[in-house]
Amino acid sequence: MGNRDKSEIIKHEIFDKVKEFLEEKSKSQEFIPGKTNLQYAGAVYDHNEINAMLESILDGWFGLSKKALEFEKALAQYLGVGEVILTNSGSSANLLSISALTSKRLGKSHLQKGDEIIIAATGFPSTLNPIIQNGLVPVFVDCEPVTYNLDADKIEAAISEKTRGIMIAHTLGFPADMEKIMDIANRHDLFVVEDACDALGSSINGKPVGTFGTAGTFSFYVAHQMTTGEGGAIVTNDKNLARIIRSFRDWGRACVCQPCKVFMNPNFNCPARFNHHSKILNAANSISSGSMIDEYDRRYTYIEIGYNLKPLEFQAAMGIEQLKRLPDLITSRQSNFNKLYKYFEKWKDYFILPKRGNEKYDICWFGFPLTLRDNAPFKRIDLIEFLKDNMIETRLLFAGNFLKQPAYADIECRIFGDIVNSNTAMDKTFFFGTYKGITDEMMDYIFNTVDKFMRNICEIK
Ligand SMILES: Cc1ncc(COP(=O)(O)O)c(C=O)c1O
């Protein structure tokens, strides 16, 4: 038996052991109401994910390579987009999308310092931060009352001469009104970046969110619809933009062929590496023929002021397996959302319930949001603390109103109109988890605990 055969046998023994280990582990993970922490979200995986990662690690090539390419292709096919660029987080995906739009190589008018980007006043910080980090000016517009998405009806009036883009998040999975937003964007020649980090699996008339705008972003952090531990992706149909994003992701370098033949085969002698950059790179790089950089190694030629925001190859291996599981994960989220909705209908005098999906909006819920009505005879903090004391996790709606957060106290910004719903979201909204890990038994425990709070603590009959 050759060494290779022997190592293959050992590898498969490891895989079998992993399967056995996970099966044993799951047997010891009994849910004890009130004792087991009931997470609002978590990774759902089995030996397929772990063994795919192990195989990639045992392969000994850790940087992005074949698995990354395979994952990008599979995701592109799932979403029906031309280009997918993997990143190490959803936040990085947002940062790269906005940064890339500042590139002179865009070929059309790029974002410049002082340009305005319209954004909802409520949301997750790293939807907003790239705007500020790139020297752009956020224009805060209030969110809608029930979806907490940027109020599309207010966008047009908020546009000024300096406005160049819209940053839109699909909050907790509920799609923003992309038809209206794209119509406004097209008429005013605005970039649209869709933060779909919470919304993988949601669609409008069958078209996935994240694929309407100039670019869309996704997060694969453990709390999200599918996971690679940490991780993210940017999607776009603009090939040139995709190249710029890859450059920003990979230190700003000129060398961004996809697929990179050297990644596929480290022994490949790339003919483009020492070629004349002045002939093959976009003129905006101002590399003149015969200059010192002209024949410099393209891997070490920098055409953007970039970052390193790449994920690892084994994360892509996990992503491939998670994507296969995604339809099932989506169904579970929808089913758990429906159970929560059905239960909370009886308390609708005290809570504003979320909007539901319909024929047009297919929704993969990140969470089940509730907003306390003004007449609720209890405080949000009392309810979520009661739930926490009973080992049930909930979450607030991320940053709430950004303008109330210390980090943004002194930023340059414009505030359009009254910010009312974002304050309500900060003050009165919270959400339950919907992920597959919440079983019927756990769901019943949640309902019994809320019943207890409402009837025994608040004495609501
Ligand atoms: C709307 C939104 N955008 C971006 C992110 C950031 O994603 P990540 O944690 O992968 O950086 C999150 C995280 O939950 C989010 O909810």
Side-chain angles (χ1 to χ4, degrees), residues 218-253:
F218 295 92
S219 166
F220 305 133
Y221 178 60
V222 280
H224 294 249
Q225 279 85 348
M226 59 168 263
T227 186
T228 56
E230 296 275 3
I234 304 162
V235 304
T236 180
N237 284 313
D238 182 334
K239 270 191 182 310
N240 184 39
L241 179 62
R243 286 183 71 83
I244 296 169
I245 291 169
R246 282 186 201 284
S247 175
F248 268 96
R249 185 195 64 177
D250 302 2
W251 308 281
R253 73 178 174 191

Side-chain angles (χ1 to χ4, degrees), residues 190-367:
L190 305 177
F191 294 116
V192 175
V193 176
E194 282 176 83
D195 178 336
C197 286
D198 297 345
L200 181 62
S202 293
S203 58
I204 303 171
N205 288 328
K207 185 171 165 60
V209 298
T211 67
F212 288 82
T214 319
T217 63
F218 295 92
S219 166
F220 305 133
Y221 178 60
V222 280
H224 294 249
Q225 279 85 348
M226 59 168 263
T227 186
T228 56
E230 296 275 3
I234 304 162
V235 304
T236 180
N237 284 313
D238 182 334
K239 270 191 182 310
N240 184 39
L241 179 62
R243 286 183 71 83
I244 296 169
I245 291 169
R246 282 186 201 284
S247 175
F248 268 96
R249 185 195 64 177
D250 302 2
W251 308 281
R253 73 178 174 191
C255 176
V256 290
C257 289
Q258 185 69 359
C260 169
K261 291 194 177 127
V262 182
F263 274 166
M264 305 307 282
N265 170 13
N267 297 322
F268 178 74
N269 194 3
C270 175
R273 274 183 74 175
F274 297 96
N275 213 325
H276 291 271
H277 306 322
S278 55
K279 291 198 190 111
I280 48 183
L281 294 174
N282 187 310
N285 294 299
S286 32
I287 294 175
S288 49
S289 167
S291 65
M292 200 182 257
I293 199 73
D294 195 19
E295 289 180 50
Y296 204 66
D297 184 348
R298 192 166 357 172
R299 285 178 76 84
Y300 296 99
T301 299
Y302 301 98
I303 53 178
E304 301 290 354
I305 298 174
Y307 304 92
N308 175 5
L309 301 173
K310 298 190 296 298
L312 293 161
E313 176 76 343
F314 73 81
Q315 292 180 289
M318 179 169 186
I320 294 164
E321 296 305 316
Q322 283 273 290
L323 197 56
K324 292 179 195 161
R325 198 186 283 286
L326 185 60
D328 178 49
L329 298 176
I330 293 172
T331 306
S332 295
R333 282 182 180 269
Q334 288 171 333
S335 156
N336 278 340
F337 177 93
N338 289 337
K339 285 173 200 157
L340 283 156
Y341 196 97
K342 196 161 167 243
Y343 167 76
F344 273 100
E345 269 187 313
K346 73 175 175 187
W347 301 121
K348 66 177 189 301
D349 288 347
Y350 306 109
F351 295 105
I352 299 168
L353 269 58
K355 256 193 191 170
R356 306 187 80 168
N358 52 36
E359 276 167 22
K360 187 172 167 189
Y361 284 0
D362 198 9
I363 307 171
C364 179
W365 293 97
F366 183 87

